[in-house]
Amino acid sequence: MRYTDTFAKELVEKMTLDQKVGAVLTLGFAGVVPKPYIYDFIEKYHCGGLRLSCDMRTFGSYVDPKSGKTVVDVERQTGIKYKQTAPTCTAGEYAAVLADLQMAARKRSLGIPLHFSFDQEGGSSADFCFGGVNIFPKPMGLTATGDKELTYKAALETARQSRAVGFNWVHSPVLDICSEPRNPEIYTRSYSDDPAVVADYAAATCRGLRDGGVIATGKHFPGRGHSCQDAHFGVPVIDVDRETMERRELRPYRALIAQGLLPSIMIAHSIFPAIDPDNIATVSRKVITGLLREELGFEGVITTDSMTMGAIATRYGVANACAMALAAGADLVLMKAENELVGETVDTIKAFVADGRLPIEELNDKVYRILALKHQYGLFEEPDAARDPEREVRDPAVKALAAEIARKSILVARDADKLLPLPTDKKILVLEQKVKEYNDMQWHSGILYEACMRQSRHVDYQETAYSYDDADKTAIMARARDYDLLVITSYFLRGKLSNREWLEGFLADCKTPAVIVTNTPFEEISIPKNARNVVITFATSPANVKATAEVLFGKCKAEGKIPVKNGISVSAEAMV
């Protein structure tokens, strides 16, 4: 390939093999307190970047929600007993942590800065979820607003808030088409079931992220919306013909590549028989080099998804899969385990280089692409001391934008019993799932109940686990009869069992009228089929929850429109 960035080219020429191998690694950092081994990742292994998981104390293994069994054991022996949540910190405090890590990277012989990658798709998919940050709805909620300009503004403000803290590489937007509503991993992470809509709204997101100075990542190539399997726990097979893939899965990628809006793309841990029936796409040269690089003409950085996920790790082994992905054409491997797998991965990649399975010329090209992208986005520049993360998250204009988007995304799908707006003189019980382990004043358990309390003094609370246990079911049945109305959350989150089927039986027997508040438009995963009154909020994050309470009590109008053709019917008459 032709090296046009002289700065990046000269860096590659100066690098040792160890430095080059490190440059293609995104390693994991969970929590807000770096342990000594995190500095080893930077100084000993020369890692190119860290994938940040700010809300957990330690990176955990993937546990199948159906069987309860650990799919891949990647936990490090740290002495930590209570692993749920990291200490709550402010945006400024976390910025200081990242600045210290970046300083360690800049002290390396070539001064190559770290990229700090994270998820910030919207709603509960938010690694930056603390310190009062303004969080927007999931992608499908943005589509529900019907306003691409608002989508651009949401991405721009997400980037501004994040870049002020130190984040600089976001694993978003999701370009998967939500063609299978039972998909337990994609659902509202997709903009729509219409490829043209996905392309348009994702383009707005990419522009906003670019203008805010954060590297965007389209995912999961070639597209894993058409599956009922979660890649965290097994191998999705996207068994569709090439013609369908061209019309559906590949359309957003072709459009955004042509517009120059995708600086990086993430590969799906899935098998696509129409392209390569034998290999998961992450290690398939036919998919990465043949389809994405050569046929679609993509010249940016190609990254893997997490190499500790069940789909890839159980089939190939983590370290081996990392090296195989690079040999197949990936530029960056995302290896989040904070243990001995780091050393094993480095050694395995070097073995691939030594025996020619990963030619040194190809490794050089990978390193160049990564460094050129970092250079393009200003990562080599000194940090702007004037950027105050606290000021960014407190900006009244951003808070107003979050409130506007929340109001315009929420929709009333059914009101067959004419319960809305809820009366303020009736006894109402809010049955609310525990949705967030993080526990600061902005985002914590019970925020829907608290928002409803601001509307009525006659509201009580029953907290439940995300997936009901026996105690939850007993409490719900015992308390429901004592109230005039029920507000019941029926949220769905990947990796959690849904309460939908149990709620169908409960609603069939319960005499107390109920409004279901859910975060997806799909009966297949979150909406009881016999629910007569349904409000859809596309995020369980603070702005959308507050707006949901205002919709329930008639303080504001729900302005959202159903964003998919394969979602819930919005005909109230059909429920009468």
Side-chain angles (χ1 to χ4, degrees), residues 31-219:
V32 298
V33 181
K35 310 300 189 298
Y37 61 79
I38 298 296
Y39 291 93
D40 285 342
F41 293 173
I42 298 169
E43 296 160 357
K44 177 181 178 181
Y45 293 111
H46 315 283
C47 75
L50 296 172
R51 172 57 164 80
L52 306 172
S53 302
C54 325
D55 63 345
M56 59 180 70
R57 295 183 72 192
T58 181
F59 183 67
S61 301
Y62 294 111
V63 179
D64 190 321
K66 295 181 179 179
S67 66
K69 295 181 178 179
T70 297
V71 177
V72 183
D73 186 0
V74 295
E75 293 190 22
R76 182 187 185 97
Q77 295 303 315
T78 60
I80 293 175
K81 179 177 181 180
Y82 301 107
K83 301 173 182 177
Q84 288 81 6
T85 57
T88 301
C89 65
T90 67
E93 287 168 338
Y94 194 69
V97 171
L98 297 188
D100 184 64
L101 294 173
Q102 198 66 273
M103 185 181 298
R106 289 177 181 276
K107 288 180 178 178
R108 297 183 294 192
S109 62
L110 296 176
I112 297 173
L114 297 168
H115 58 266
F116 289 125
S117 61
F118 68 124
D119 271 352
Q120 199 77 2
E121 297 168 10
S124 58
S125 178
D127 288 321
F128 181 16
C129 58
F130 50 86
V133 61
N134 300 280
I135 298 172
F136 300 98
K138 283 183 179 289
M140 196 171 286
L142 295 172
T143 307
T145 68
D147 191 332
K148 291 189 285 291
E149 181 61 22
L150 284 179
T151 301
Y152 166 83
K153 290 179 179 178
L156 177 63
E157 296 305 338
T158 295
R160 284 178 175 169
Q161 293 176 103
S162 302
R163 189 65 191 259
V165 173
F167 302 98
N168 48 42
W169 196 319
V170 65
H171 291 155
S172 180
V174 174
L175 301 184
D176 300 320
I177 314 301
C178 189
S179 55
E180 173 50 77
R182 294 172 297 170
N183 191 311
E185 187 177 4
I186 302 306
Y187 59 109
T188 55
R189 298 171 68 202
S190 169
Y191 291 93
S192 176
D193 52 4
D194 184 328
V197 172
V198 171
D200 286 346
Y201 278 81
T205 295
C206 285
R207 291 188 184 97
L209 294 171
R210 177 198 62 197
D211 293 351
V214 170
I215 299 169
T217 308
K219 64 183 184 186

Side-chain angles (χ1 to χ4, degrees), residues 224-362:
R224 69 165 182 242
H226 201 74
S227 167
C228 294
Q229 173 68 53
D230 188 330
H232 290 80
F233 313 113
V235 183
V237 177
I238 316 299
D239 196 7
V240 298
D241 59 61
R242 180 59 194 269
E243 181 181 351
T244 300
M245 286 190 67
E246 191 65 43
R247 183 182 70 253
R248 187 174 63 196
E249 277 79 5
L250 294 179
R251 181 169 176 176
Y253 288 97
R254 287 194 181 275
L256 270 63
I257 290 171
Q259 295 173 63
L261 290 174
L262 285 178
S264 68
I265 288 175
M266 178 180 284
I267 304 298
H269 289 328
S270 304
I271 292 177
F272 298 84
I275 305 169
D276 185 343
D278 301 317
N279 298 294
I280 292 176
T282 312
V283 298
S284 169
R285 197 164 180 90
K286 291 180 181 178
V287 172
I288 300 176
T289 299
L291 177 59
L292 180 53
R293 194 67 85 191
E294 297 174 354
E295 184 176 334
L296 270 64
F298 181 63
E299 297 179 352
V301 171
I302 299 173
T303 181
T304 73
D305 206 337
S306 173
M307 300 302 282
T308 56
M309 288 165 59
I312 194 85
T314 55
R315 178 170 291 216
Y316 304 107
V318 174
N320 188 53
C322 289
M324 290 174 67
L326 293 169
D331 301 308
L332 268 176
V333 289
L334 174 57
M335 211 293 288
K336 294 165 68 175
E338 301 176 23
N339 57 15
E340 67 281 351
L341 282 171
V342 174
E344 291 179 20
T345 298
V346 169
D347 289 344
T348 304
I349 294 171
K350 290 169 70 174
F352 268 54
V353 175
D355 65 18
R357 283 176 289 176
L358 176 56
I360 190 64
E361 295 79 13
E362 290 190 13

Side-chain angles (χ1 to χ4, degrees), residues 441-459:
M441 285 297 290
Q442 174 181 262
W443 203 356
H444 52 268
S445 294
I447 59 173
L448 176 59
Y449 162 63
E450 293 171 13
C452 288
M453 278 200 303
R454 298 188 190 103
Q455 308 300 326
S456 171
R457 293 288 186 90
H458 302 286
V459 178

Side-chain angles (χ1 to χ4, degrees), residues 59 118 122 124 127 132 159 197 204 235 304 314 325 341 381 405 411-412 415 427 443 461 492 501 528 532 542 566:
F59 183 67
F118 68 124
S124 58
D127 288 321
V197 172
V235 183
T304 73
T314 55
L341 282 171
E381 298 172 9
I405 293 176
L411 65 94
V412 176
D415 187 19
K427 290 175 60 181
W443 203 356
Y461 178 46
F492 176 81
E501 291 184 6
R532 295 173 57 82
N566 58 15

